[in-house]
């Protein structure tokens, strides 16, 4: 299937993911001391970041005009929507920061080079982290799916306060509303000084 437009999606024709319980263990976990490459050419250790951090994870972003990873990508529950999810965090970035997020990061198992091109093309105001070697994915036992021989992170968003996961959004559907849901949660759950 050719991906002509990555943003215009009729979500009523896309199967929604179900809560399979694979993220239930995450609340309360401490983020491990693992450095990840970021699209701004820095190495980021989430565990070392003070304050409230938002990490939204997704299987993989597509490239306009390129062939999908597999023909039935859109029919895999939770697969379609990585670009709309990412763009929603881009569009609400200033509001997320104003609502208490010290940092915002995207996360996938795609290579840093691939993600750097995507971050530039989409004009992202935040870095995207590459867990290409699955170090963080395995350490936290993040929900994953196997597609075309690749291990991909299932779509979720984490609220991390001083290296501890305090809230998880999972499953996420439709993906383009994830940033709005996170923003609403931030406004209801202000960080206490």
């Amino acid at each position: 299937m050719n991906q002509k437009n990555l943003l215009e999606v009729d979500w009523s024709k896309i199967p929604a993911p179900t809560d399979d319980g694979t993220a239930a263990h995450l609340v309360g976990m401490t983020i491990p001391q693992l450095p990840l490459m970021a699209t701004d050419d820095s190495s980021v250790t989430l565990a070392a970041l003070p304050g409230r951090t938002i990490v939204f994870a997704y299987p993989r972003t597509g490239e306009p005009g390129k062939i999908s990873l597999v023909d039935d990508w859109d029919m895999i529950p939770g697969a379609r929507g990585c670009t709309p999810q990412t763009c929603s965090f881009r569009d609400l970035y200033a509001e997320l920061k104003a609502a208490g997020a010290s940092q915002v990061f995207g996360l996938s198992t795609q290579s840093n080079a691939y993600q750097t091109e995507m971050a530039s093309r989409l004009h992202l105001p935040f870095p995207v982290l590459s867990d290409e070697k699955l170090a963080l994915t395995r350490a936290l036992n993040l929900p994953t799916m196997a597609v075309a021989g690749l291990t991909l992170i299932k779509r979720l968003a984490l609220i991390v306060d001083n290296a501890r996961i305090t809230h998880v959004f999972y499953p996420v559907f439709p993906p383009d509303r994830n940033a709005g849901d996170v923003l609403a949660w931030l406004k209801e759950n202000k960080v206490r000084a």
Side-chain angles (χ1 to χ4, degrees), residues 58-60 69 73 109 143-147 150-154:
Y58 52 84
R60 64 184 289 117
L69 186 60
W73 178 257
T109 58
T144 61
M145 63 175 121
V147 180
L150 300 173
T151 299
L152 307 175
I153 303 170
K154 289 184 179 181

Side-chain angles (χ1 to χ4, degrees), residues 36 107-113 115 129-138 151:
L36 298 172
L107 172 71
S108 85
T109 58
Q110 289 171 282
S111 73
N112 192 56
Q115 293 188 80
L129 306 175
S130 173
D131 192 20
E132 186 176 16
K133 295 185 173 152
L134 304 173
L136 184 66
T137 301
R138 288 185 178 129
T151 299

